[in-house]
Amino acid sequence: MKPFLVILALCASLAQAEDGLLLNLIVPPSGIDRFQHAEFSCWLPDPAQPVKAVIIHQHGCTNASPDKHPPVTFDFHWRALARQHNCALLAPMYHVAGGCDEWNDPESGSERALLSALAEFAKTSARPELKDAPWLLWGHSGGSSWSAQMIVRHPGRVLAASFRGGCHKQFGDPAFRAKFAPAALKLPLLFVWGKRETVPTSSHFVSWEPMNTMFRELRSQGTTVGRLIDPLSEHGCDDSRLVIIPFFAAVLQSKLSGALVDITSLQDRELTDSNLHDPTLAWLPNADLAKLWREFSEHGTLHPSHPKLPAPTLTATRDSSGVIQLTCTITPAFDGGLRTLRIHRDGMLWKELGVKPGARIATSRDAPPEGLRASPITDDSKEPHTYTLTFLDVAGNESPPSAPAPVSK
């Protein structure tokens, strides 16, 4: 074990930026682990403040890497959620030679790697509470399977979870469902599907009935579980974050304040035995989420009518090679997200970065699209300039501009 810990420490790196603290770590496999390579990216919004929870964003059954699938630690939308309650944002990335079970089975070594990474991040950031902080689990496909198993293996540690497809092996097994139900009895859950994976011709149809069976069994026991179907997608559900992030925000508001989560039925706002235990009804934590649920269920996206978009911040500096480095901090609305960055130079539009109107606001793996990541934007100009920045949400609403950021020759 000692040589492993030495390697672990040597592989750790960190970067302090204006917008929080970013930590990166490589965890090599031990002798019995089945994965080839594990990378972890962790972002802390304010390392001077105690970490209250860890948002774990677990990818699906692909070999993930920062280049091909940039982690959500670079995503302004997920960062906004973490910032609201000073949560750590964690993205594990596993590489395997064979099948998905070489990492999405916690006994494959992924559980050990996660716990090792949390311990190392706690040490490196000087935030010891990070090691034992409670979790919010977001999982896609194979990541949902992993999350379900982690709930059973760590009862009481999870604050809430969202499953975006997957779990057919677990929820298709009556023995696993029997273990999962008591572990999730008081756990806010949100099951998410794409409409096109609910038909037999879909390659992901295999998960549809097992997840519905689990949903019905949980609801019949009065558990707090919701169900969201994206009418526009198959397995990706890219804009579903517009509901999932507000769902997590509502749960964090209730859980971390010590209050109980309010029970709200989508069809009956009065809490009664009949609707609480009705397996045909979804559950959501409050009436605002019920409203978002209805709109998304109909349109597959949201159009915030009264967005409260704060102005972003922007800094411009010229590095030792003469290249101008632009860095920004953006806090999107939870139900509006981020579609476009508009950078003006000397009063004229210079760059517009992001996704096109009508396109989904995240990749199929819920990673930030190129141009919308929390990384510097460069300008090779040798002349003095003044820059400002605005951003657009999913509906095209534009924020106020940042304060001007001048840079000299």
Side-chain angles (χ1 to χ4, degrees), residues 203-217:
S203 61
H204 298 285
F205 180 71
V206 64
S207 299
W208 172 245
E209 188 52 39
M211 287 190 73
N212 269 293
T213 298
M214 187 77 260
F215 172 82
R216 290 191 295 267
E217 290 181 3

Side-chain angles (χ1 to χ4, degrees), residues 247-317:
F247 174 82
F248 279 156
V251 170
L252 283 167
Q253 182 66 37
S254 297
K255 293 277 190 176
L256 297 182
S257 66
L260 294 176
V261 178
D262 294 329
I263 302 293
T264 300
S265 165
L266 291 175
Q267 297 185 21
D268 188 345
R269 300 295 169 79
E270 301 253 348
L271 175 57
T272 65
D273 286 341
S274 60
N275 68 42
L276 178 58
H277 295 277
D278 186 342
T280 66
L281 298 181
W283 171 93
L284 289 169
N286 55 49
D288 288 340
L289 262 293
K291 181 179 178 181
L292 299 183
W293 179 92
R294 289 191 182 92
E295 182 179 350
F296 187 89
S297 297
E298 182 177 353
H299 302 291
T301 191
L302 298 180
H303 288 79
S305 56
H306 301 289
K308 298 178 181 179
L309 302 181
T313 64
L314 180 68
T315 60
T317 58

